[in-house]
């Protein structure tokens, strides 16, 4: 949820507005507005996303990914998915392999691959089993040392082929970088097409998407639970902002916060037992702490200003949030135990939408200069600030669960689209909606979980 979104919920309609506000959020507040019940639709599918990658990383690992043996008999091109995953993160240079096919049982000629300036090589096969499943086998080699790095096999259903390819990419990433990959994780985002809003869940590359919630009234502020099983979000279906929690697998949901005034901007604690929410039940929008199972809320801020857009630090002891208590929106840090608060951002008169990297090192946020809203990164250890984009209408940054990429939304040619960027801003990927004309916004990256 943007700072202005929260401000509108507790202020007259003449308040400054942006994004959801200028495109119809007020329809959920005005008299006579119609509303439709929410519908969970696991069968609903988004159009296949198109990934457009720009930029080149400073240091990349040269890797060759020949086609898997018998891949032409599989309904899914495993190597195409693996290639796209590795290319999108910016750490790998995909070598040209032409029409070469390499299975997992054949020992490659390392000397030949070294002449191609290749450091790593993947070979694999996919075979359809009698029970309809697909047997996937692969080996990853260190070409420079001539050693085997990984040898894996898995049997999956047709519907799980894409996820299997992501798991292969995760394994490659971990073997070559020492860190966990994020390709088999999920993302959530909101679309608006005409007068219809929808909350989607998809694979990290935007594929295999399905609708979790749809409504003719706005849906905003999705937030993943730490175990990846639930989403908290705000719905205007009752013509006011109410916080819900929904089970991803079953579609079952329950009200989390429906107090007098607005209820907005939910954020899960790292242990999943609590959420911070923004409530205006006592007047101005303030931060409150609420148990995931309900019960009485505890007020965290006492400013009398607008305090919103909270996000937890990974230590579970600190919350970052946006407040205009100093006259303009800035990002502050609050200690949950005692309420001690300090200002974090000082460069620029307008900084909103904070997100903390899972390793706790970086703060991403949106900085406004004039009419330009730009994704910005603050290294909390060094204080170095970096503008990551050249676009001017960025919103809703969300870190990948390995802290190495940021997903955000921005406006391109009049439409809101999803983007990812590396932390140095060199590698950017656009997740475009194909022929769909829906605006795509409010992305949140799910956690590292085993599915």
């Amino acid at each position: 949820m943007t700072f202005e979104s929260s401000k509108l919920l507790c202020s007259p309609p003449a308040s400054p507005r942006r994004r959801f506000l200028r495109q119809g959020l007020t329809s959920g507040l005005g008299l006579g507005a119609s509303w439709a019940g929410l519908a969970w639709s696991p069968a609903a599918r988004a159009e296949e996303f198109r990934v457009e990658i720009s930029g080149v990383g400073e240091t990349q690992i040269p890797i060759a990914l020949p086609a898997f043996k018998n891949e032409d008999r599989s309904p899914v091109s495993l190597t195409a998915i693996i290639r796209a995953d590795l290319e999108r993160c910016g750490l790998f240079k995909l070598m040209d392999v032409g029409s070469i096919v390499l299975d997992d049982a054949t020992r490659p000629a390392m000397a030949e691959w070294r002449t191609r300036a290749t450091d790593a090589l993947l070979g694999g096969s996919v075979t359809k089993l009698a029970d309809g499943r697909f047997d996937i086998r692969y080996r990853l080699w260190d070409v420079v040392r001539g050693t085997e790095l990984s040898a894996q096999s898995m049997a999956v259903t047709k519907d799980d082929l894409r996820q299997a390819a992501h798991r292969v990419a995760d394994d490659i990433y971990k073997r070559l970088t020492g860190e966990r990959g994020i390709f088999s994780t999920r993302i959530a985002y909101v679309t608006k097409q005409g007068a219809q809003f929808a909350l989607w869940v998809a694979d990290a590359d935007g594929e295999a998407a399905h609708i979790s919630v749809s409504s003719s009234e706005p849906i905003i502020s999705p937030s993943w639970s730490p175990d990846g099983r639930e989403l908290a979000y705000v719905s205007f279906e009752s013509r006011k902002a109410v916080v819900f929690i929904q089970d991803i697998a079953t579609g079952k949901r329950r009200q989390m916060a429906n107090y007098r005034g607005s209820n907005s901007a939910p954020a899960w604690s790292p242990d999943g037992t609590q959420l911070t929410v923004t409530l205006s039940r006592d007047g101005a929008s303030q931060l409150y702490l609420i148990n995931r199972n309900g019960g009485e809320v505890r007020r965290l801020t006492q400013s009398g200003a607008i305090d919103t857009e909270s996000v937890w630090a990974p230590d579970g002891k600190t919350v970052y949030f946006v407040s205009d208590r100093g006259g303009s929106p800035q990002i502050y840090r609050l200690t949950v135990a005692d309420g001690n608060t300090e200002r974090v951002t000082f460069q620029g008169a307008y900084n909103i939408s904070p997100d903390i990297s899972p390793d706790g090192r970086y703060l991403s946020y949106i900085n406004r200069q004039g009419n330009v809203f730009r994704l910005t990164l603050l290294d909390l250890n060094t204080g170095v600030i970096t503008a990551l984009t050249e676009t001017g209408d960025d919103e809703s940054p969300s870190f990948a669960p390995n802290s190495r990429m940021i997903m955000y939304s921005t406006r391109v040619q009049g439409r809101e689209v999803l983007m990812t960027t590396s932390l140095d801003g060199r590698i950017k990927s656009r997740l475009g909606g194909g022929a769909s004309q829906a605006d795509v916004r409010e992305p949140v990256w799910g956690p590292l979980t085993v599915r």
Side-chain angles (χ1 to χ4, degrees), residues 140-426:
L140 178 67
W141 288 279
D142 180 332
V143 174
V144 177
R145 294 181 175 85
T147 59
E148 181 182 289
L149 296 175
S150 181
Q152 306 286 339
S153 65
M154 63 186 87
V156 301
T157 65
K158 176 182 175 181
D159 291 340
D160 288 334
L161 281 169
R162 288 191 55 83
Q163 189 60 211
H166 292 316
R167 292 200 295 269
V168 175
D170 281 342
D171 187 38
I172 294 171
Y173 188 97
K174 183 176 181 179
R175 303 288 178 176
L176 297 181
T177 71
E179 299 178 353
R180 286 188 66 176
I182 44 78
F183 309 116
S184 59
T185 59
R186 293 181 293 182
I187 63 174
Y189 54 89
V190 174
T191 61
K192 180 180 184 292
Q193 185 161 15
Q196 194 71 15
F197 295 82
L199 174 61
W200 296 80
V201 174
D203 288 349
D205 61 354
E207 304 285 355
H210 69 265
I211 293 177
S212 288
V213 183
S214 64
S215 176
S216 61
E217 298 299 334
I219 301 167
I220 58 176
S221 303
S223 176
W224 284 96
S225 64
D227 62 8
R229 296 178 180 177
E230 296 177 305
L231 277 170
Y233 60 89
V234 177
S235 170
F236 284 79
E237 64 190 85
S238 59
R239 304 198 339 181
K240 64 171 290 189
V242 178
V243 177
F244 287 88
I245 292 179
Q246 181 159 326
D247 186 286
I248 297 298
T250 67
K252 293 181 179 179
R253 66 177 189 141
R254 56 190 173 88
Q255 284 189 5
M256 187 65 195
N258 186 12
Y259 298 96
R260 180 185 63 187
S262 67
N263 309 264
S264 59
W268 292 86
S269 63
D271 64 3
T273 63
Q274 303 176 96
L275 295 91
T276 48
V277 293
T278 299
L279 307 178
S280 65
R281 68 175 196 171
D282 299 320
S285 292
Q286 296 285 281
L287 298 188
Y288 292 77
L289 188 66
I290 186 169
N291 189 284
R292 62 158 292 127
N293 295 320
E296 187 56 36
V297 298
R298 171 189 161 201
R299 185 166 173 173
L300 292 178
T301 57
Q302 307 285 340
S303 70
I306 295 176
D307 297 339
T308 187
E309 292 194 321
S310 59
V311 59
W312 289 76
D315 62 9
K317 301 176 181 179
T318 308
V319 170
Y320 290 76
F321 67 99
V322 176
S323 178
D324 64 352
R325 63 184 62 190
S328 66
Q330 295 292 341
I331 298 170
Y332 292 78
R333 178 169 46 220
L334 175 146
T335 303
V336 174
D338 58 15
N340 181 58
T341 303
E342 59 181 334
R343 184 169 162 177
V344 177
T345 54
F346 294 90
Q347 182 171 303
Y350 192 104
N351 296 293
I352 61 172
S353 302
D355 193 42
I356 300 296
S357 61
D359 63 10
R361 177 174 177 178
Y362 298 101
L363 170 71
S364 65
Y365 59 95
I366 301 300
N367 169 264
R368 187 182 78 176
Q369 299 288 342
N371 292 323
V372 174
F373 295 80
R374 187 157 290 160
L375 175 60
T376 304
L377 187 71
L378 167 62
D379 188 321
L380 294 171
N381 292 340
T382 66
V384 173
I385 298 173
T386 306
L388 296 180
T389 69
E390 298 297 327
T391 45
D393 211 357
D394 304 336
E395 293 183 336
S396 305
S398 178
F399 276 97
N402 66 354
S403 303
R404 299 308 179 195
M405 299 170 66
I406 301 173
M407 181 169 55
Y408 62 103
S409 65
T410 193
R411 185 172 291 274
V412 176
Q413 296 179 342
R415 287 183 51 203
E416 290 176 281
V417 300
L418 296 189
M419 300 284 294
T420 64
T421 180
S422 55
L423 298 192
D424 59 6
R426 290 175 178 267

